């Protein structure tokens, strides 16, 4: 087996998810809605042999949302266009399980997987922003723990639907007039807590079997879901120690579910601050943070609390007691803010700066940043990084000055060895469950070697994740 290598994702986030990033002189103000911007950057990432591009998404905004959130392309539509303009790079789209139906989601990702010839991935989120409820006919956001139960069932149903057709279900024999072998088509007939889905799905599997499942969400329930269903995690730990703790926790949970911990890869976000020397990079960090304005920092701080208005509190008193606020939204993020403010004894003003400021553990010369990335990888804190692409200069510097150091050391690949996303990530192709059951039944049958009756269509999912 080839040596384990660091994986790379590129989060394409147009004009950026910070309040000020869009003002960079070389970044087009319409980047978030310009398919050419996405194609151009996906091709750059592909030329640099990234494993995947990654699109975040959420179905709720306010007028104060960060510029990229205000006006952006829907991820699956966007990635279908990128699929046609690239050949190798994986394509991961975020879609919520809280406000979608599994049948639609299975079709959409099944289509992207065929369009891209086996390069699709689904980043499963439960939606942190409570206001989303109002866009789907609900008075209130679905409760945090209910969202996670729903997510587990949703993904199980989607994966069940993706196996509707066995891989050899279509003889397409024009001579005999046989298009489909009906014995290889399976309904789902799922009846669960949240969904009733008969199936079958009207789309077959791709060459990678099924799209790769990613997950983002760091609360207890989020970690548990990831450990059960994910092959990739988009994480956001801030320090090496936090990342290492998180890494160990996830791998331990995955093993407890009977999974191979090597088949769940952890990718924290990466926003390095680069310059020719470490000193210049630190100055650059100070300069960027010096341009922040407090009003926007307070808006940003409010986002994990469903855009809570922090201007109502005195700035120079201890961070306010928010009670349960945030527990039903971005719980993992909200908890962290409350915890840090308390343990570090911060005022509201200090908390706003602390979380609005770009605090990256990757600040320095290309060599310093490459060393640090390698350390995180070798010392069990990450399997990959999700580099945030917005500022064009930063992306170029990273590709041209940091990656060659890592490539030279064998930490990242020189060239693609595979054509699918599963191939890039070293993940096995999941066997079609019906074909696998047929094979298992055949090998345990006393009449081994004789043709068996097809598995009854209508095998049902119990609601558990397989
Ligand atoms: C790093 C990270 C990225 C996330 N990205 C998204 C996203 O793109 N869209 C979304 O609706 N929610 C996103 N979430 C939110 C989670 O899916 C989840 O809805 C919310 O955080 C509450 O879960 P938690 O309490 O487990 O963190 C993200 C969460 C994390 C930690």
């Amino acid at each position: 087996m080839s040596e384990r290598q660091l994986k790379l994702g590129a989060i394409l986030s147009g004009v950026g998810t910070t309040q000020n990033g869009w003002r960079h002189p070389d970044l087009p103000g319409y980047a978030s809605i310009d398919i050419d911007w996405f194609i151009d950057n996906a091709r750059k990432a592909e030329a640099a042999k990234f494993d995947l591009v990654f699109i975040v998404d959420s179905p709720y905004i306010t007028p104060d949302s960060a510029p990229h959130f205000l006006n952006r392309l829907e991820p699956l539509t966007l990635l279908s266009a990128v699929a046609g303009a690239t050949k190798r790079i994986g394509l991961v789209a975020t879609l919520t399980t809280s406000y979608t139906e599994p049948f639609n989601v299975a079709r959409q990702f099944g289509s992207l997987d065929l369009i891209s010839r086996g390069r699709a991935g689904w980043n499963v989120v439960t939606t942190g922003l409570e206001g989303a409820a109002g866009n789907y006919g609900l008075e209130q956001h679905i409760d945090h723990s209910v969202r996670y139960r729903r997510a587990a069932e949703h993904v199980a149903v989607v994966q069940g639907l993706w196996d509707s057709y066995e891989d050899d279900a279509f003889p397409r024999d024009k001579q005999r007039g046989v298009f489909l072998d009906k014995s290889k088509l399976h309904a789902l007939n799922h009846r669960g807590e949240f969904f009733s889905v008969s199936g079958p799905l009207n789309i077959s599997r791709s060459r990678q079997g099924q799209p790769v499942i990613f997950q983002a969400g760091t609360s207890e329930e989020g970690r548990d879901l990831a450990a059960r269903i994910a092959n990739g995690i988009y994480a956001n730990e801030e320090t090496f120690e936090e990342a290492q703790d998180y890494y160990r926790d996830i791998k331990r949970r995955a093993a407890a579910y009977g999974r191979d911990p090597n088949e769940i890869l952890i990718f924290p976000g990466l926003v390095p601050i680069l310059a020719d020397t470490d000193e210049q990079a630190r100055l650059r960090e100070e300069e960027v943070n010096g341009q922040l304005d407090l009003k926007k920092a307070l808006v940003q701080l409010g986002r994990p609390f469903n855009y809570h208005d922090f201007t109502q509190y005195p700035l120079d008193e201890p961070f306010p007691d928010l009670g349960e606020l945030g527990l039903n939204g971005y719980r993992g993020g909200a908890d962290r803010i409350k915890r840090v403010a308390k343990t570090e004894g911060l005022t509201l003003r200090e908390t706003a700066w602390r979380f609005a400021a770009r605090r990256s553990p990757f600040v320095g010369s290309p060599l310093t940043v490459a060393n640090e990335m390698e350390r995180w990888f070798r010392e069990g804190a990450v399997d990959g990084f999700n580099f945030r692409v917005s500022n064009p200069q930063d992306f170029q510097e990273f590709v041209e000055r940091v990656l060659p150091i890592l490539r030279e050391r064998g930490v990242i690949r020189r060239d693609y060895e595979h054509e699918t996303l599963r191939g890039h990530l070293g993940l096995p192709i999941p066997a079609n469950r019906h074909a696998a059951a047929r094979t298992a039944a055949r090998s345990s049958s006393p009449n081994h070697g004789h043709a068996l009756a097809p598995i009854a269509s209508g095998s049902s999912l119990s609601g558990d994740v397989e």
Side-chain angles (χ1 to χ4, degrees), residues 17-36:
T17 55
T18 61
Q19 295 281 351
N20 280 332
W22 68 277
R23 298 175 70 180
H24 188 282
D26 298 336
L27 181 61
Y30 47 80
S32 297
I33 50 165
D34 179 11
I35 193 59
D36 289 339

Side-chain angles (χ1 to χ4, degrees), residues 9 12 42 63 75 160 195-196 208 243 328 339 345 358 362 372 408 418 422:
L12 304 183
F195 304 106
S196 289
Q208 69 168 350
N328 199 30
R339 192 177 58 242
R358 245 174 100 176
F362 301 93
E372 194 60 0
E408 194 51 42
H418 297 273
R422 280 183 189 278

Side-chain angles (χ1 to χ4, degrees), residues 313-320 345-351:
Y313 305 104
L315 280 168
D316 295 310
E317 288 189 15
F319 186 74
L346 305 179
T347 63
L348 172 58
R349 187 195 301 273
E350 287 163 344
T351 313

Side-chain angles (χ1 to χ4, degrees), residues 56-59 94 123-128 144 147-148 216-219 222 234-236 329-333:
V56 296
D57 194 55
S58 179
T94 298
N123 179 35
V124 174
V125 297
T126 62
T127 296
H144 189 269
R147 293 209 302 277
Y148 274 110
T218 53
S219 62
Y234 173 29
N236 63 354
Y330 277 87
R331 178 180 294 188

Side-chain angles (χ1 to χ4, degrees), residues 150-230:
R150 181 183 160 107
E153 187 182 332
H154 192 303
V155 174
V157 172
V158 168
Q159 289 178 320
L161 287 169
W162 281 335
D163 273 356
S164 292
Y165 286 112
E166 293 181 41
D167 292 336
D168 56 353
F170 290 98
R172 298 186 184 94
D173 185 334
K174 292 192 178 178
Q175 213 92 49
R176 289 168 44 229
V178 182
F179 189 72
L180 166 71
D181 174 351
K182 289 185 190 172
S183 70
K184 297 191 172 169
L185 170 61
H186 305 275
L188 189 65
N189 291 327
H190 170 81
R191 301 283 172 269
E193 183 184 358
F194 299 96
F195 304 106
S196 289
V197 182
S198 307
L201 188 69
N202 52 354
I203 190 161
S204 55
R205 295 173 17 131
S206 80
R207 62 208 281 199
Q208 69 168 350
Q210 294 194 351
V212 177
I213 301 290
F214 274 72
Q215 182 273 356
T218 53
S219 62
E220 269 299 302
E221 292 91 336
R223 290 172 184 226
D224 192 61
L225 179 71
R228 289 169 70 184
I229 63 152

Side-chain angles (χ1 to χ4, degrees), residues 59-61 99 130-138:
Y60 176 69
I61 55 168
Y99 297 104
E130 298 176 43
N135 293 331
Y136 295 93
L138 295 184

Side-chain angles (χ1 to χ4, degrees), residues 5 49 88 407 412-418:
Q5 287 185 315
K49 317 299 176 198
R88 293 291 191 96
R407 197 166 291 127
I412 57 169
R413 70 164 65 85
R414 283 183 187 276
D415 203 353
Y416 291 113
E417 289 166 8
H418 297 273

